[in-house]
Amino acid sequence: LFPVAAFAMDASKETERLPCSWRYVNLCFLIPIFNGFINGYCWAGLAPHYRDMGWPVARVSTPATCGFVGRIICQKIQVRYGFWVMIPLGLIHLILTILGVVFFDQEWAVILEVVAVTSLDG
């Protein structure tokens, strides 16, 4: 256990401590790191994928714009209805990502996948 604060929290003079467990490391470090890798990979490969497929590179901003507008909407839904809403949104995210993986040569599927990554990222 790591001490966080040396000040007294109440009359018993106890100090607050952070737990040092695998769950703590997983939730506070590994999951955010992997989430950053996924989001970084998406943006690094999007423009080359458009170019390789012969699609106009000028349309790369379409999924980004739709995704970030969707992120505003999804965050408002989370604030209003609570975090349990992430379960159905996560299922939608999974379905759209699978479509993007299966139909990687179709522009509509790539757009839906990038929109899902940016807007439904909890």
Side-chain angles (χ1 to χ4, degrees):
L1 298 175
F2 300 106
V4 173
F7 59 88
M9 294 179 59
D10 58 6
S12 66
K13 304 253 186 215
E14 294 181 17
T15 59
E16 184 178 349
R17 297 184 178 273
L18 291 175
C20 185
S21 65
W22 177 248
R23 181 179 172 154
Y24 175 78
V25 170
N26 190 23
L27 289 174
C28 293
F29 295 108
L30 294 180
I31 291 176
I33 287 171
F34 289 140
N35 189 19
F37 287 155
I38 290 170
N39 288 337
Y41 176 76
C42 173
W43 294 116
L46 187 60
H49 182 68
Y50 261 72
R51 190 182 61 227
D52 289 346
M53 291 291 126
W55 304 328
V57 179
R59 289 197 298 226
V60 171
S61 63
T62 302
T65 303
C66 294
F68 287 116
V69 169
R71 176 174 274 190
I72 294 169
I73 295 167
C74 288
Q75 287 179 349
K76 293 293 183 184
I77 290 171
Q78 288 177 25
V79 168
R80 182 172 179 118
Y81 296 110
F83 288 114
W84 67 269
V85 175
M86 285 309 296
I87 295 170
L89 291 178
L91 289 174
I92 293 169
H93 188 175
L94 178 65
I95 292 167
L96 293 178
T97 303
I98 289 172
L99 283 174
V101 169
V102 172
F103 300 108
F104 66 92
D105 57 345
Q106 302 293 320
E107 188 175 13
W108 62 268
V110 173
I111 289 173
L112 288 177
E113 181 179 10
V114 174
V115 167
V117 166
T118 53
S119 65
L120 300 175
D121 184 24

